[in-house]
Amino acid sequence: MMITYKVIDTLEFFAHESTQELIDAYVAEGKKVNPLDSDPDMDFYKHIHKLPNTSLVAAYHKNKIVGYMFAITSSVPHYNVLGTTIDSIFIYEEYRSGGTARIMLDILSKDAKMYGSKHLFMSAPLKSVLHRVAPSLGFTKITSVFMKELD
């Protein structure tokens, strides 16, 4: 199956006719593995293109967006570096084999380097596919994120 890849801004992403279906699938899968309600702030994402140093890579099959990876490059004071944080990534299950994530990551990495980033950071829910495959994509676990409910 022929997949094409393109760096786009969030305006183009949200204007595409297949985006809502993709977001719905992302949210549904997230609810299975994440104790937090998966309820992305779409208004934030629709306007984030105004911020510098954002990257969105989309994967297309027959003009349908079948995956995306969104990241923000910013200062990471804790490590005293400019780093790129992958905020969200989702690929329909049927497009996950064949290197789709790796190709998107390579494209995103080039964008991050263009912004001066020295590292990619990413978190993944413990029981998610992403958590299992992150090491095969070149990521090293450097920390754990904990959550505490506040009343």
Side-chain angles (χ1 to χ4, degrees):
M1 117 185 31
M2 179 67 174
I3 298 175
T4 57
Y5 304 88
K6 185 177 172 186
V7 176
I8 61 176
D9 66 27
T10 57
L11 290 178
E12 184 175 347
F13 179 71
F14 282 104
H16 197 278
E17 63 189 17
S18 64
T19 296
Q20 190 58 54
E21 180 183 341
L22 182 73
I23 296 297
D24 291 346
Y26 167 70
V27 169
E29 187 169 304
K31 287 183 178 188
K32 294 176 187 174
V33 296
N34 194 335
L36 296 174
D37 285 337
S38 198
D39 185 20
D41 181 349
M42 291 305 163
D43 285 334
F44 174 81
Y45 287 107
K46 288 177 182 177
H47 295 96
I48 201 165
H49 70 279
K50 297 174 186 174
L51 299 175
N53 304 341
T54 60
S55 302
L56 195 154
V57 179
Y60 295 84
H61 181 247
K62 297 181 179 178
N63 196 41
K64 178 181 179 181
I65 298 178
V66 297
Y68 75 98
M69 188 177 290
F70 176 73
I72 303 169
T73 299
S74 62
S75 175
V76 184
H78 186 80
Y79 300 111
N80 195 25
V81 297
L82 192 62
T84 299
T85 301
I86 298 174
D87 176 74
S88 56
I89 175 174
F90 183 76
I91 302 166
Y92 284 121
E93 189 171 349
E94 59 268 33
Y95 297 95
R96 291 180 185 169
S97 61
T100 303
R102 189 173 309 281
I103 293 167
M104 292 170 67
L105 188 60
D106 288 347
I107 295 167
L108 186 102
S109 295
K110 288 176 186 169
D111 239 31
K113 286 179 185 177
M114 179 186 70
Y115 291 131
S117 183
K118 300 295 182 197
H119 305 279
L120 287 178
F121 297 94
M122 177 178 69
S123 65
L126 288 174
K127 297 176 185 173
S128 70
V129 172
L130 185 57
H131 189 268
R132 284 195 315 272
V133 302
S136 70
L137 294 172
F139 287 87
T140 302
K141 186 174 181 179
I142 61 168
T143 189
S144 293
V145 176
F146 296 90
M147 179 194 76
K148 178 182 178 184
E149 293 283 339
L150 299 176
D151 299 330

